[in-house]
Amino acid sequence: MSRRSGILEFAVLGLLRESPMHGYELRKRLNTSLGIFRAFSYGTLYPCLKTLVASGWLIEEPGSAPEDAVAASLAGRRAKIVYRLTADGKEHFEELLSHTGPDTWEDEHFAARFAFFGQTEREVRMRVLEGRRSRLEERLEKMRASLVRTRERLDDYTLELQRHGMESVEREVRWLNELIESERAGRDQRPSPDAAQQDITGDTGGLPRHRGTTPPDPSEDIAK
């Protein structure tokens, strides 16, 4: 499995954990909620769905409205298929959520993981955030060293492009620092009994539950 297809499967499972959807709805959510999938097509999504069905993580069901199926039949079209997460699929997604290896720190995978932080346990969130910060700090050090070595050979525009890339990485590091501090502040607070009950399903620490929150676009890092 390629890294790109693995990220897509993770995102599909995460969205279907929220509710069953047909392919069009799922593609729309991937486009609007997870910006890293803006450019992908049905030709990418449906093989992914078939793979997840074959793995036993999803099942296909007919659309819920009988009149829709009748109308589709009369028009010679297929009725919409709804994809639903199975118990095995939910368990598999939860296993993926608990993963904190180096691949979760990379640009695209991190963006997908961050989109589902509301379903992720606090300790896992912290490890992913700290790993991402460490990865970007390493990248920033290399960019600065490269700029020092090549500064005299670069024209003004190329130099500005290099600086822009560094500023993008520096901005994300500051953003990560704020998130990590918010998580630590939430962890250090002693929860009330009611809050402890809510924490069972994975709380958001010191962060508000803004569904539209997304990390800085890694595509801005032009000078990797």
Side-chain angles (χ1 to χ4, degrees), residues 4-203:
R4 179 72 174 180
S5 63
I7 298 169
L8 179 57
E9 290 184 5
F10 171 82
V12 167
L13 292 173
L15 289 175
L16 291 177
R17 187 187 186 192
E18 298 176 4
S19 66
M21 301 180 205
H22 56 68
Y24 176 77
E25 291 174 317
L26 191 54
R27 182 173 183 265
K28 185 176 180 181
R29 286 290 307 278
L30 287 165
N31 280 330
T32 57
S33 301
L34 303 177
I36 58 174
F37 297 109
R38 292 189 190 103
F40 91 109
S41 65
Y42 283 110
T44 303
L45 176 60
Y46 281 100
C48 172
L49 290 170
K50 294 300 181 184
T51 298
L52 294 175
V53 170
S55 299
W57 297 328
L58 300 182
I59 57 173
E60 297 176 333
E61 299 176 339
S64 57
E67 61 272 16
D68 291 345
V70 172
S73 177
L74 292 174
R77 296 181 284 105
R78 286 183 58 192
K80 290 180 180 178
I81 295 175
V82 173
Y83 295 90
R84 182 184 299 274
L85 197 65
T86 65
D88 287 343
K90 181 179 180 180
E91 182 178 349
H92 178 63
F93 179 68
E94 290 172 351
E95 290 175 358
L96 294 176
L97 277 181
S98 67
H99 180 57
T100 60
D103 59 319
T104 66
W105 311 338
E106 301 299 336
D107 294 341
E108 289 187 342
H109 205 148
F110 172 75
R113 286 300 302 269
F114 188 83
F116 295 100
F117 261 22
Q119 303 179 42
T120 305
E121 293 182 358
R122 188 197 304 274
E123 294 302 320
V124 174
R125 291 197 304 263
M126 283 291 292
R127 288 196 294 271
V128 173
L129 289 171
E130 290 173 342
R132 173 67 174 173
R133 180 176 63 180
S134 176
R135 178 59 50 85
L136 289 183
E137 287 173 341
E138 292 174 3
R139 184 184 299 174
L140 192 57
E141 183 177 348
K142 291 178 181 178
M143 293 171 72
R144 286 169 175 161
S146 175
L147 187 61
V148 169
R149 291 195 305 269
T150 61
R151 182 188 299 272
E152 299 302 324
R153 300 195 300 271
L154 300 177
D155 60 54
D156 290 343
Y157 295 102
T158 305
L159 187 59
E160 282 304 311
L161 195 62
Q162 294 281 338
R163 287 173 175 164
H164 174 69
M166 288 177 53
E167 289 172 359
S168 297
V169 178
E170 289 169 345
R171 183 167 60 251
E172 185 171 350
V173 169
R174 290 194 298 270
W175 176 75
L176 289 166
N177 286 335
E178 293 173 0
L179 290 175
I180 290 169
E181 288 306 311
S182 294
E183 292 284 353
R184 285 175 176 163
R187 181 180 61 188
D188 292 341
Q189 293 172 359
R190 185 181 300 275
S192 65
D194 290 341
Q197 179 64 28
Q198 294 176 358
D199 195 50
I200 294 175
T201 57
D203 61 278

Side-chain angles (χ1 to χ4, degrees), residues 207-221:
L207 301 175
R209 289 184 180 271
H210 292 323
R211 296 179 60 82
T213 302
T214 55
D217 188 346
S219 64
E220 293 182 355
D221 179 12

